[in-house]
């Protein structure tokens, strides 16, 4: 099964939310729909990002999983942007 990852650029946190709570919540939301392979925090162009790698049978399912994570994370933190990529050999290819 292909590997995908959703990269969520995180903005303002909801009142009372600790920064360390964002990544576990994003991974929990993805895990509601599929298997989580890995999770990481990255700083991309100065913006903190929660990155969750997961399994999905096809691009449309991966996009649904990412949308679920974005929608669910809204009560924890502002999601400025989300990008879904698919593992193609040694590369990560953007999905739509």
């Amino acid at each position: 099964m292909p590997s995908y990852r959703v990269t969520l650029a995180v903005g303002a946190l909801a009142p009372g939310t600790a920064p360390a709570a964002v990544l576990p919540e994003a991974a929990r939301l993805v895990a509601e729909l599929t298997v989580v392979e890995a999770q990481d925090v990255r700083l991309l162009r100065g913006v903190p990002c929660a990155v969750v790698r997961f399994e999905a049978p096809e691009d449309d399912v991966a996009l649904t999983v990412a949308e679920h994570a974005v929608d669910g994370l809204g009560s924890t933190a502002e999601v400025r942007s989300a990008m879904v990529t698919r593992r193609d050999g040694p590369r990560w290819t953007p999905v739509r």
Side-chain angles (χ1 to χ4, degrees):
M1 187 167 309
S3 286
Y4 291 86
R5 67 182 179 193
V6 58
T7 302
L8 306 163
V10 178
L13 302 179
T17 300
V22 177
L23 180 60
E25 180 63 8
R28 185 193 68 75
L29 289 160
V30 170
E32 289 181 346
L33 301 181
T34 190
V35 174
V36 171
E37 297 176 333
Q39 53 187 302
D40 191 19
V41 174
R42 295 188 182 163
L43 196 59
L44 300 174
R45 296 183 190 100
V47 177
C49 296
V51 182
V52 182
R53 183 174 171 169
F54 60 93
E55 295 179 355
E58 60 185 33
D59 291 357
D60 289 340
V61 174
L63 291 169
T64 299
V65 170
E67 184 178 313
H68 179 72
V70 169
D71 291 345
L73 205 56
S75 63
T76 302
E78 170 194 14
V79 178
R80 292 182 176 179
S81 66
M83 181 190 314
V84 179
T85 52
R86 179 185 59 247
R87 184 72 178 208
D88 290 324
R91 296 181 33 204
W92 288 97
T93 304
V95 175
R96 283 188 251 156

Short mmCIF file of all heavy atoms in Angstrom, two decimals, residues 3-65:
data_model
loop_
_atom_site.label_atom_id
_atom_site.label_comp_id
_atom_site.label_asym_id
_atom_site.label_seq_id
_atom_site.Cartn_x
_atom_site.Cartn_y
_atom_site.Cartn_z
N SER A 3 2.54 4.93 0.61
CA SER A 3 2.69 5.83 1.75
C SER A 3 2.41 7.24 1.30
O SER A 3 2.80 7.66 0.21
CB SER A 3 4.12 5.77 2.29
OG SER A 3 4.33 4.59 3.00
N TYR A 4 1.74 7.97 2.17
CA TYR A 4 1.44 9.38 1.94
C TYR A 4 1.87 10.13 3.18
O TYR A 4 2.06 9.56 4.24
CB TYR A 4 -0.07 9.59 1.73
CG TYR A 4 -0.58 9.01 0.44
CD1 TYR A 4 -0.96 7.68 0.37
CD2 TYR A 4 -0.70 9.79 -0.70
CE1 TYR A 4 -1.44 7.14 -0.82
CE2 TYR A 4 -1.18 9.26 -1.89
CZ TYR A 4 -1.55 7.94 -1.95
OH TYR A 4 -2.02 7.41 -3.12
N ARG A 5 1.95 11.44 3.02
CA ARG A 5 2.13 12.26 4.20
C ARG A 5 1.36 13.56 4.02
O ARG A 5 1.21 14.07 2.90
CB ARG A 5 3.59 12.51 4.53
CG ARG A 5 4.34 13.35 3.56
CD ARG A 5 5.80 13.49 3.97
NE ARG A 5 6.48 14.29 2.96
CZ ARG A 5 7.76 14.42 2.85
NH1 ARG A 5 8.56 13.80 3.70
NH2 ARG A 5 8.29 15.17 1.92
N VAL A 6 0.84 14.04 5.12
CA VAL A 6 0.19 15.34 5.13
C VAL A 6 1.07 16.27 5.95
O VAL A 6 1.50 15.92 7.05
CB VAL A 6 -1.26 15.27 5.67
CG1 VAL A 6 -1.34 14.72 7.08
CG2 VAL A 6 -1.93 16.64 5.59
N THR A 7 1.38 17.41 5.37
CA THR A 7 2.18 18.43 6.03
C THR A 7 1.27 19.59 6.36
O THR A 7 0.71 20.22 5.45
CB THR A 7 3.35 18.88 5.13
OG1 THR A 7 4.14 17.73 4.80
CG2 THR A 7 4.21 19.92 5.81
N LEU A 8 1.09 19.85 7.64
CA LEU A 8 0.16 20.86 8.12
C LEU A 8 0.94 22.05 8.67
O LEU A 8 1.63 21.92 9.68
CB LEU A 8 -0.73 20.28 9.22
CG LEU A 8 -1.48 19.00 8.84
CD1 LEU A 8 -1.97 18.29 10.07
CD2 LEU A 8 -2.62 19.33 7.90
N ALA A 9 0.85 23.19 8.00
CA ALA A 9 1.49 24.41 8.48
C ALA A 9 0.63 24.97 9.61
O ALA A 9 -0.55 25.27 9.42
CB ALA A 9 1.64 25.43 7.37
N VAL A 10 1.20 25.09 10.79
CA VAL A 10 0.45 25.45 11.99
C VAL A 10 0.64 26.93 12.30
O VAL A 10 1.76 27.44 12.33
CB VAL A 10 0.92 24.59 13.18
CG1 VAL A 10 0.18 24.98 14.45
CG2 VAL A 10 0.73 23.11 12.87
N GLY A 11 -0.50 27.58 12.56
CA GLY A 11 -0.48 28.99 12.95
C GLY A 11 -0.80 29.12 14.43
O GLY A 11 -0.25 28.40 15.26
N ALA A 12 -1.72 30.00 14.75
CA ALA A 12 -2.07 30.28 16.14
C ALA A 12 -2.70 29.05 16.80
O ALA A 12 -3.44 28.31 16.18
CB ALA A 12 -3.04 31.45 16.19
N LEU A 13 -2.37 28.87 18.07
CA LEU A 13 -2.93 27.78 18.85
C LEU A 13 -4.20 28.24 19.54
O LEU A 13 -4.33 29.41 19.89
CB LEU A 13 -1.93 27.29 19.89
CG LEU A 13 -0.58 26.80 19.37
CD1 LEU A 13 0.31 26.39 20.53
CD2 LEU A 13 -0.76 25.66 18.40
N ALA A 14 -5.11 27.31 19.76
CA ALA A 14 -6.32 27.61 20.51
C ALA A 14 -5.93 27.94 21.95
O ALA A 14 -4.93 27.42 22.46
CB ALA A 14 -7.27 26.42 20.47
N PRO A 15 -6.70 28.79 22.63
CA PRO A 15 -6.38 29.11 24.02
C PRO A 15 -6.24 27.84 24.87
O PRO A 15 -7.05 26.92 24.77
CB PRO A 15 -7.59 29.93 24.47
CG PRO A 15 -8.14 30.52 23.22
CD PRO A 15 -7.90 29.48 22.15
N GLY A 16 -5.17 27.81 25.65
CA GLY A 16 -4.93 26.68 26.53
C GLY A 16 -4.26 25.49 25.87
O GLY A 16 -4.00 24.48 26.52
N THR A 17 -3.95 25.57 24.59
CA THR A 17 -3.31 24.47 23.87
C THR A 17 -1.79 24.63 23.92
O THR A 17 -1.26 25.67 23.54
CB THR A 17 -3.76 24.43 22.39
OG1 THR A 17 -5.17 24.25 22.34
CG2 THR A 17 -3.08 23.30 21.64
N ALA A 18 -1.12 23.60 24.37
CA ALA A 18 0.34 23.60 24.40
C ALA A 18 0.87 23.24 23.01
O ALA A 18 0.27 22.40 22.32
CB ALA A 18 0.85 22.59 25.42
N PRO A 19 1.97 23.84 22.58
CA PRO A 19 2.52 23.50 21.27
C PRO A 19 2.77 22.00 21.09
O PRO A 19 2.57 21.46 20.01
CB PRO A 19 3.83 24.29 21.22
CG PRO A 19 3.61 25.44 22.13
CD PRO A 19 2.74 24.91 23.23
N ALA A 20 3.19 21.33 22.15
CA ALA A 20 3.49 19.89 22.07
C ALA A 20 2.26 19.04 21.85
O ALA A 20 2.37 17.85 21.54
CB ALA A 20 4.20 19.44 23.35
N ALA A 21 1.07 19.61 21.96
CA ALA A 21 -0.18 18.85 21.79
C ALA A 21 -0.61 18.74 20.33
O ALA A 21 -1.44 17.90 19.98
CB ALA A 21 -1.29 19.49 22.60
N VAL A 22 -0.07 19.57 19.46
CA VAL A 22 -0.54 19.63 18.08
C VAL A 22 -0.21 18.37 17.29
O VAL A 22 -1.09 17.78 16.64
CB VAL A 22 0.02 20.89 17.37
CG1 VAL A 22 -0.40 20.92 15.90
CG2 VAL A 22 -0.47 22.15 18.08
N LEU A 23 1.03 17.93 17.31
CA LEU A 23 1.43 16.75 16.54
C LEU A 23 0.69 15.49 16.98
O LEU A 23 0.14 14.77 16.13
CB LEU A 23 2.94 16.53 16.58
CG LEU A 23 3.44 15.32 15.79
CD1 LEU A 23 3.09 15.44 14.30
CD2 LEU A 23 4.94 15.18 15.97
N PRO A 24 0.61 15.19 18.27
CA PRO A 24 -0.15 13.99 18.68
C PRO A 24 -1.62 14.05 18.26
O PRO A 24 -2.21 13.04 17.89
CB PRO A 24 -0.01 13.95 20.20
CG PRO A 24 1.19 14.75 20.50
CD PRO A 24 1.28 15.80 19.42
N GLU A 25 -2.20 15.24 18.30
CA GLU A 25 -3.60 15.38 17.89
C GLU A 25 -3.74 15.15 16.38
O GLU A 25 -4.68 14.48 15.94
CB GLU A 25 -4.14 16.76 18.28
CG GLU A 25 -5.58 16.99 17.91
CD GLU A 25 -6.58 16.06 18.59
OE1 GLU A 25 -6.22 15.29 19.50
OE2 GLU A 25 -7.76 16.08 18.18
N ALA A 26 -2.83 15.68 15.60
CA ALA A 26 -2.87 15.45 14.14
C ALA A 26 -2.72 13.96 13.84
O ALA A 26 -3.47 13.42 13.01
CB ALA A 26 -1.77 16.25 13.46
N ALA A 27 -1.79 13.29 14.50
CA ALA A 27 -1.60 11.85 14.28
C ALA A 27 -2.82 11.06 14.73
O ALA A 27 -3.22 10.09 14.07
CB ALA A 27 -0.35 11.37 15.02
N ARG A 28 -3.45 11.46 15.83
CA ARG A 28 -4.65 10.78 16.32
C ARG A 28 -5.78 10.88 15.30
O ARG A 28 -6.48 9.91 15.02
CB ARG A 28 -5.09 11.37 17.66
CG ARG A 28 -6.28 10.63 18.29
CD ARG A 28 -6.88 11.41 19.44
NE ARG A 28 -7.55 12.63 19.02
CZ ARG A 28 -8.74 12.68 18.41
NH1 ARG A 28 -9.39 11.56 18.12
NH2 ARG A 28 -9.28 13.84 18.07
N LEU A 29 -5.93 12.06 14.72
CA LEU A 29 -6.98 12.27 13.72
C LEU A 29 -6.75 11.40 12.49
O LEU A 29 -7.67 10.79 11.97
CB LEU A 29 -7.06 13.75 13.34
CG LEU A 29 -7.63 14.65 14.43
CD1 LEU A 29 -7.24 16.10 14.19
CD2 LEU A 29 -9.15 14.49 14.51
N VAL A 30 -5.51 11.33 12.02
CA VAL A 30 -5.19 10.48 10.87
C VAL A 30 -5.45 9.02 11.22
O VAL A 30 -6.02 8.26 10.43
CB VAL A 30 -3.73 10.71 10.41
CG1 VAL A 30 -3.32 9.66 9.39
CG2 VAL A 30 -3.56 12.11 9.84
N ALA A 31 -5.07 8.62 12.43
CA ALA A 31 -5.24 7.23 12.87
C ALA A 31 -6.70 6.82 12.99
O ALA A 31 -7.01 5.62 12.99
CB ALA A 31 -4.53 7.01 14.20
N GLU A 32 -7.60 7.78 13.05
CA GLU A 32 -9.03 7.44 13.05
C GLU A 32 -9.45 6.80 11.73
O GLU A 32 -10.43 6.07 11.69
CB GLU A 32 -9.88 8.69 13.32
CG GLU A 32 -9.81 9.20 14.73
CD GLU A 32 -10.67 10.42 14.97
OE1 GLU A 32 -11.15 11.06 14.00
OE2 GLU A 32 -10.87 10.74 16.14
N LEU A 33 -8.69 7.08 10.66
CA LEU A 33 -9.07 6.60 9.32
C LEU A 33 -8.10 5.60 8.70
O LEU A 33 -8.48 4.88 7.79
CB LEU A 33 -9.23 7.79 8.37
CG LEU A 33 -10.27 8.84 8.77
CD1 LEU A 33 -10.33 9.94 7.73
CD2 LEU A 33 -11.64 8.21 8.96
N THR A 34 -6.86 5.58 9.17
CA THR A 34 -5.87 4.71 8.53
C THR A 34 -4.69 4.47 9.48
O THR A 34 -4.66 4.99 10.59
CB THR A 34 -5.38 5.31 7.20
OG1 THR A 34 -4.61 4.35 6.49
CG2 THR A 34 -4.57 6.58 7.40
N VAL A 35 -3.71 3.72 9.00
CA VAL A 35 -2.52 3.41 9.79
C VAL A 35 -1.51 4.56 9.68
O VAL A 35 -1.16 4.98 8.58
CB VAL A 35 -1.87 2.10 9.28
CG1 VAL A 35 -0.54 1.84 9.98
CG2 VAL A 35 -2.82 0.93 9.46
N VAL A 36 -1.07 5.04 10.84
CA VAL A 36 -0.04 6.07 10.88
C VAL A 36 1.32 5.37 10.90
O VAL A 36 1.56 4.49 11.70
CB VAL A 36 -0.20 6.96 12.14
CG1 VAL A 36 1.00 7.89 12.30
CG2 VAL A 36 -1.49 7.76 12.07
N GLU A 37 2.18 5.78 9.98
CA GLU A 37 3.52 5.19 9.88
C GLU A 37 4.57 5.98 10.67
O GLU A 37 5.51 5.40 11.18
CB GLU A 37 3.94 5.11 8.42
CG GLU A 37 3.07 4.20 7.59
CD GLU A 37 3.44 4.19 6.12
OE1 GLU A 37 4.00 5.19 5.61
OE2 GLU A 37 3.17 3.17 5.47
N ALA A 38 4.41 7.30 10.70
CA ALA A 38 5.39 8.15 11.38
C ALA A 38 4.79 9.53 11.59
O ALA A 38 3.81 9.91 10.93
CB ALA A 38 6.67 8.27 10.55
N GLN A 39 5.40 10.27 12.50
CA GLN A 39 4.99 11.65 12.75
C GLN A 39 6.21 12.47 13.13
O GLN A 39 7.15 11.95 13.73
CB GLN A 39 3.92 11.71 13.83
CG GLN A 39 4.28 11.01 15.11
CD GLN A 39 3.12 10.95 16.07
OE1 GLN A 39 2.59 11.97 16.44
NE2 GLN A 39 2.75 9.75 16.47
N ASP A 40 6.20 13.74 12.74
CA ASP A 40 7.37 14.57 12.95
C ASP A 40 6.95 16.03 12.95
O ASP A 40 5.91 16.39 12.40
CB ASP A 40 8.37 14.31 11.82
CG ASP A 40 9.74 14.91 12.06
OD1 ASP A 40 10.07 15.21 13.22
OD2 ASP A 40 10.49 15.08 11.09
N VAL A 41 7.77 16.86 13.55
CA VAL A 41 7.60 18.31 13.49
C VAL A 41 8.76 18.86 12.68
O VAL A 41 9.91 18.46 12.87
CB VAL A 41 7.61 18.94 14.90
CG1 VAL A 41 7.58 20.46 14.82
CG2 VAL A 41 6.45 18.43 15.72
N ARG A 42 8.43 19.77 11.76
CA ARG A 42 9.47 20.38 10.92
C ARG A 42 9.25 21.89 10.87
O ARG A 42 8.13 22.36 11.04
CB ARG A 42 9.41 19.83 9.49
CG ARG A 42 9.73 18.37 9.44
CD ARG A 42 9.87 17.89 8.04
NE ARG A 42 10.13 16.46 8.08
CZ ARG A 42 9.99 15.66 7.06
NH1 ARG A 42 9.56 16.14 5.91
NH2 ARG A 42 10.25 14.38 7.17
N LEU A 43 10.31 22.59 10.62
CA LEU A 43 10.25 24.03 10.40
C LEU A 43 10.52 24.25 8.92
O LEU A 43 11.63 24.01 8.45
CB LEU A 43 11.30 24.72 11.27
CG LEU A 43 11.14 26.21 11.47
CD1 LEU A 43 9.80 26.54 12.10
CD2 LEU A 43 12.26 26.74 12.33
N LEU A 44 9.49 24.66 8.18
CA LEU A 44 9.62 24.88 6.74
C LEU A 44 9.43 26.37 6.45
O LEU A 44 8.36 26.92 6.69
CB LEU A 44 8.59 24.05 5.97
CG LEU A 44 8.67 22.54 6.17
CD1 LEU A 44 7.51 21.85 5.47
CD2 LEU A 44 9.99 22.01 5.64
N ARG A 45 10.48 26.99 5.95
CA ARG A 45 10.46 28.43 5.67
C ARG A 45 10.02 29.24 6.88
O ARG A 45 9.25 30.19 6.78
CB ARG A 45 9.57 28.73 4.47
CG ARG A 45 10.07 28.12 3.17
CD ARG A 45 9.18 28.52 2.00
NE ARG A 45 9.52 27.75 0.85
CZ ARG A 45 8.85 26.67 0.43
NH1 ARG A 45 7.80 26.25 1.09
NH2 ARG A 45 9.23 26.03 -0.65
N GLY A 46 10.48 28.81 8.05
CA GLY A 46 10.17 29.52 9.28
C GLY A 46 8.81 29.23 9.88
O GLY A 46 8.43 29.83 10.87
N VAL A 47 8.05 28.31 9.27
CA VAL A 47 6.71 27.98 9.75
C VAL A 47 6.73 26.58 10.36
O VAL A 47 7.18 25.63 9.72
CB VAL A 47 5.69 28.02 8.58
CG1 VAL A 47 4.30 27.61 9.06
CG2 VAL A 47 5.66 29.41 7.96
N PRO A 48 6.24 26.44 11.60
CA PRO A 48 6.19 25.10 12.18
C PRO A 48 5.15 24.24 11.47
O PRO A 48 4.05 24.71 11.16
CB PRO A 48 5.79 25.35 13.64
CG PRO A 48 5.14 26.69 13.64
CD PRO A 48 5.73 27.46 12.49
N CYS A 49 5.51 22.99 11.20
CA CYS A 49 4.63 22.07 10.50
C CYS A 49 4.55 20.73 11.22
O CYS A 49 5.58 20.21 11.65
CB CYS A 49 5.12 21.83 9.07
SG CYS A 49 5.10 23.29 8.03
N ALA A 50 3.35 20.21 11.31
CA ALA A 50 3.14 18.85 11.80
C ALA A 50 3.07 17.95 10.57
O ALA A 50 2.30 18.23 9.65
CB ALA A 50 1.84 18.75 12.60
N VAL A 51 3.89 16.91 10.54
CA VAL A 51 3.94 16.01 9.39
C VAL A 51 3.55 14.61 9.86
O VAL A 51 4.18 14.07 10.77
CB VAL A 51 5.35 15.99 8.76
CG1 VAL A 51 5.38 15.07 7.54
CG2 VAL A 51 5.81 17.39 8.40
N VAL A 52 2.52 14.06 9.22
CA VAL A 52 2.06 12.72 9.57
C VAL A 52 2.12 11.86 8.32
O VAL A 52 1.51 12.19 7.29
CB VAL A 52 0.63 12.74 10.15
CG1 VAL A 52 0.19 11.34 10.54
CG2 VAL A 52 0.53 13.69 11.35
N ARG A 53 2.85 10.76 8.41
CA ARG A 53 2.96 9.80 7.30
C ARG A 53 1.99 8.66 7.57
O ARG A 53 1.88 8.17 8.69
CB ARG A 53 4.39 9.26 7.23
CG ARG A 53 4.62 8.31 6.08
CD ARG A 53 6.08 7.95 5.99
NE ARG A 53 6.27 6.89 5.03
CZ ARG A 53 7.45 6.49 4.58
NH1 ARG A 53 8.55 7.06 5.02
NH2 ARG A 53 7.55 5.52 3.70
N PHE A 54 1.28 8.24 6.51
CA PHE A 54 0.24 7.24 6.68
C PHE A 54 0.07 6.39 5.42
O PHE A 54 0.59 6.74 4.35
CB PHE A 54 -1.08 7.91 7.05
CG PHE A 54 -1.59 8.90 6.02
CD1 PHE A 54 -2.48 8.51 5.03
CD2 PHE A 54 -1.17 10.22 6.05
CE1 PHE A 54 -2.94 9.42 4.09
CE2 PHE A 54 -1.63 11.14 5.10
CZ PHE A 54 -2.52 10.73 4.12
N GLU A 55 -0.69 5.31 5.56
CA GLU A 55 -1.01 4.42 4.43
C GLU A 55 -2.36 4.80 3.85
O GLU A 55 -3.27 5.17 4.59
CB GLU A 55 -1.10 2.97 4.89
CG GLU A 55 0.17 2.38 5.39
CD GLU A 55 -0.02 0.94 5.86
OE1 GLU A 55 -1.16 0.44 5.89
OE2 GLU A 55 1.00 0.32 6.21
N ALA A 56 -2.48 4.67 2.53
CA ALA A 56 -3.76 4.84 1.85
C ALA A 56 -3.69 4.08 0.53
O ALA A 56 -2.63 4.02 -0.09
CB ALA A 56 -4.07 6.31 1.61
N PRO A 57 -4.82 3.52 0.08
CA PRO A 57 -4.79 2.73 -1.15
C PRO A 57 -4.69 3.58 -2.41
O PRO A 57 -4.24 3.09 -3.44
CB PRO A 57 -6.11 1.96 -1.11
CG PRO A 57 -7.00 2.77 -0.23
CD PRO A 57 -6.11 3.45 0.76
N GLU A 58 -5.09 4.86 -2.33
CA GLU A 58 -5.06 5.71 -3.53
C GLU A 58 -5.11 7.18 -3.12
O GLU A 58 -5.41 7.51 -1.96
CB GLU A 58 -6.22 5.38 -4.46
CG GLU A 58 -7.58 5.57 -3.83
CD GLU A 58 -8.72 5.12 -4.73
OE1 GLU A 58 -8.55 4.17 -5.50
OE2 GLU A 58 -9.76 5.77 -4.65
N ASP A 59 -4.86 8.06 -4.09
CA ASP A 59 -4.79 9.49 -3.84
C ASP A 59 -6.07 10.06 -3.23
O ASP A 59 -6.01 10.87 -2.30
CB ASP A 59 -4.47 10.25 -5.13
CG ASP A 59 -3.07 10.00 -5.64
OD1 ASP A 59 -2.29 9.28 -4.97
OD2 ASP A 59 -2.75 10.52 -6.72
N ASP A 60 -7.24 9.66 -3.75
CA ASP A 60 -8.50 10.22 -3.24
C ASP A 60 -8.70 9.91 -1.76
O ASP A 60 -9.17 10.75 -1.00
CB ASP A 60 -9.69 9.70 -4.04
CG ASP A 60 -9.75 10.28 -5.45
OD1 ASP A 60 -9.12 11.35 -5.67
OD2 ASP A 60 -10.42 9.70 -6.31
N VAL A 61 -8.33 8.72 -1.34
CA VAL A 61 -8.44 8.34 0.07
C VAL A 61 -7.46 9.17 0.90
O VAL A 61 -7.80 9.66 1.98
CB VAL A 61 -8.20 6.83 0.27
CG1 VAL A 61 -8.18 6.47 1.74
CG2 VAL A 61 -9.27 6.03 -0.47
N ALA A 62 -6.25 9.36 0.39
CA ALA A 62 -5.25 10.15 1.11
C ALA A 62 -5.73 11.60 1.29
O ALA A 62 -5.55 12.19 2.35
CB ALA A 62 -3.92 10.13 0.36
N LEU A 63 -6.37 12.14 0.28
CA LEU A 63 -6.90 13.50 0.37
C LEU A 63 -8.02 13.58 1.41
O LEU A 63 -8.11 14.56 2.16
CB LEU A 63 -7.39 13.98 -0.99
CG LEU A 63 -6.28 14.22 -2.02
CD1 LEU A 63 -6.88 14.43 -3.41
CD2 LEU A 63 -5.40 15.39 -1.62
N THR A 64 -8.83 12.55 1.49
CA THR A 64 -9.89 12.49 2.50
C THR A 64 -9.31 12.43 3.90
O THR A 64 -9.79 13.11 4.82
CB THR A 64 -10.81 11.28 2.25
OG1 THR A 64 -11.41 11.43 0.95
CG2 THR A 64 -11.88 11.16 3.30
N VAL A 65 -8.26 11.64 4.07
CA VAL A 65 -7.59 11.54 5.38
C VAL A 65 -7.02 12.90 5.77
O VAL A 65 -7.19 13.35 6.91
CB VAL A 65 -6.48 10.46 5.34
CG1 VAL A 65 -5.62 10.52 6.59
CG2 VAL A 65 -7.09 9.08 5.16
#
